[in-house]
Amino acid sequence: MNALLKRVWIGLATALIVSLAAGVLPDHIQMYADGRIHLGAPAPTPSPSTAAPTPESTSPPLTRDAVDEVIRTAVSAAGLDPSQGRPTVAAGANSNRTGWVAVRENTAAQAEMNAIGADLERQGWTLNPNPNGDRSDASRSYKRGGWYLLVSTRGKTQAPSTTSTLTDSQTYLTLTGLQLNLADIPLPEITVRIG
C-alpha cells in the first residue's frame, strides 16, 4: 500500500511540474503516445521524413529606447502629454526595465487606460489573456519583441509609497515595461514515463 501511495504522489507531482512547464515554455514539453514526457530542449525527430513543426513567428527584439517611444506614442494617443507624467526608471539605469506613471482623475483613468491599450495593439503589441477575467477595469498585459507592458491604475491603497499625495478621486495611471526572455532559462532534460 505504501509503494502504491508513493507512486500516486510521484505521478501527481510529475503532472504538476509538466503542466506548469507547459504553461511557461510549451515548445520545451513533448508528450508521447506511450506515456513518456520529455522536458527540456526539443528531442531530435526520430525520422528525417517527418517534418519538424514550424516555430511560432515572433517580433524582432526591441531595445529599451524603442519601448520608451512606444510608451510615449500610446500615452499621446490617449490624449495625454507624456511630460505630465514621469518615468519610473531613469534613462540608462536599466536596459530591461522601463515605465511611465501619472496622477489622473479616477473618472478619466479607465478611458485613458483603454485608449493606451488600443494604441499598443495598433502598434503590434499582443494582448495577453487576462487572469482577472474580462473586467473592464482590470490591468492589461501586452507583449512584443521580448518585452511585456503592463497597463494599470493604482489607487491610494496601492500607491508606490506611503507619502502619496493622491486624493480620493485620483489614481496612478502606469505603464510598466519589462524585458523577459523565458527561452533563455535553461530547463534540465528529463524524460519521465507514466504508467
Side-chain angles (χ1 to χ4, degrees), residues 72-85:
R72 282 190 292 275
T73 301
V75 166
S76 296
L80 301 169
D81 180 358
S83 65
Q84 289 179 332

Side-chain angles (χ1 to χ4, degrees), residues 115-180:
I116 288 170
D119 192 70
L120 289 174
E121 289 184 39
R122 182 196 62 76
Q123 292 186 59
W125 289 72
T126 303
L127 178 65
N128 285 319
N130 192 344
N132 298 321
D134 294 328
R135 288 185 8 231
S136 62
D137 63 339
S139 300
R140 293 187 198 110
S141 170
Y142 297 85
K143 63 183 174 182
R144 180 176 166 218
W147 281 82
Y148 291 82
L149 271 177
L150 178 67
V151 183
S152 63
T153 57
R154 295 187 294 176
K156 203 170 193 175
T157 59
Q158 300 168 318
S161 73
T162 55
T163 59
S164 171
T165 58
L166 289 182
T167 66
D168 290 337
S169 67
Q170 293 176 322
T171 187
Y172 285 107
L173 175 61
T174 63
L175 279 87
T176 304
L178 182 64
Q179 185 179 30
L180 287 175

